[in-house]
Amino acid sequence: MRSVSLCSGVSLSASYLASVGADQGPGFHFVLSNRTDREIRLAEPVPSSSHWYARSQGRWLWRASSGAGGSLLDAGNEHGRVVVYPPAPGSEIKLLVLRPHQSREWIESEQQNPVLEYKPGCKQCSYPGEREYQVIFAYAYLAGRGQAAGLLSCGLRSAPVPMPPKF
């Protein structure tokens, strides 16, 4: 398992949207900011993973993760490293390019990007009585042989995004 440091001068932020359009359901508003003097290149999707936490007895406990790459080693450490996963063999990547001192904003629903959906892997991952949730989005990508050079070699993570209560 390989990990990378968080990027300096590049940030990813997110906020919850109850509805992103007709028949789209809930989603998120994302902002990717490049405050560096160089162009950055990211493999899509951005974010590449989501990590869900529930408040239980005063502490935030992990409940589910979705996606590939950008897995958080320690969600409580906002300056911690993130795990990087290589692309699937033979996969073709689409690039997101952001020029120096530029930002990109977009809205995405859970239907458009399955990485955004809360999907606990087991019955025990959603404990009865838990109502308060938050999600942290991350990005990390390890370019494989024969793939585009110059991809962002550090990781990104959003601040925790408060979610509406789940029943």
Side-chain angles (χ1 to χ4, degrees):
M1 185 165 22
R2 181 173 173 204
S3 67
V4 295
S5 299
L6 291 175
C7 297
S8 176
V10 181
S11 64
L12 175 67
S13 64
S15 57
Y16 176 77
L17 299 171
S19 177
V20 298
D23 299 325
Q24 288 292 305
F28 297 88
H29 173 249
F30 292 99
V31 178
L32 177 65
S33 297
N34 178 7
R35 294 179 308 280
T36 71
D37 292 330
R38 66 188 190 291
E39 177 181 275
I40 60 170
R41 303 170 74 185
L42 296 88
E44 291 188 336
V46 177
S48 55
S49 63
S50 61
H51 308 277
W52 297 83
Y53 297 84
R55 186 181 268 314
S56 177
Q57 299 176 2
R59 296 178 28 198
W60 288 103
L61 302 176
W62 175 84
R63 290 296 179 250
S65 289
S66 180
S71 294
L72 301 169
L73 291 177
D74 179 359
N77 179 359
E78 65 187 45
H79 303 290
R81 297 174 66 85
V82 294
V83 173
V84 179
Y85 290 96
S91 65
E92 197 172 308
I93 63 167
K94 182 177 175 186
L95 293 179
L96 184 153
V97 179
L98 200 55
R99 296 190 321 252
H101 306 288
Q102 298 291 310
S103 294
R104 179 171 179 233
E105 293 186 43
W106 70 98
I107 292 174
E108 210 164 24
S109 72
E110 295 173 357
Q111 292 177 345
Q112 294 166 309
N113 183 353
V115 165
L116 308 180
E117 187 179 358
Y118 175 67
K119 294 185 272 190
C122 63
K123 287 183 181 182
Q124 292 179 338
C125 297
S126 285
Y127 295 89
E130 290 181 345
R131 301 270 186 275
E132 194 175 349
Y133 288 83
Q134 65 183 13
V135 60
I136 299 172
F137 295 103
Y139 170 87
Y141 189 85
L142 179 63
R145 287 184 161 196
Q147 290 191 327
L151 289 172
L152 194 64
S153 59
C154 48
L156 301 173
R157 65 167 277 159
S158 72
V161 178
M163 299 298 296
K166 294 194 177 294
F167 298 102

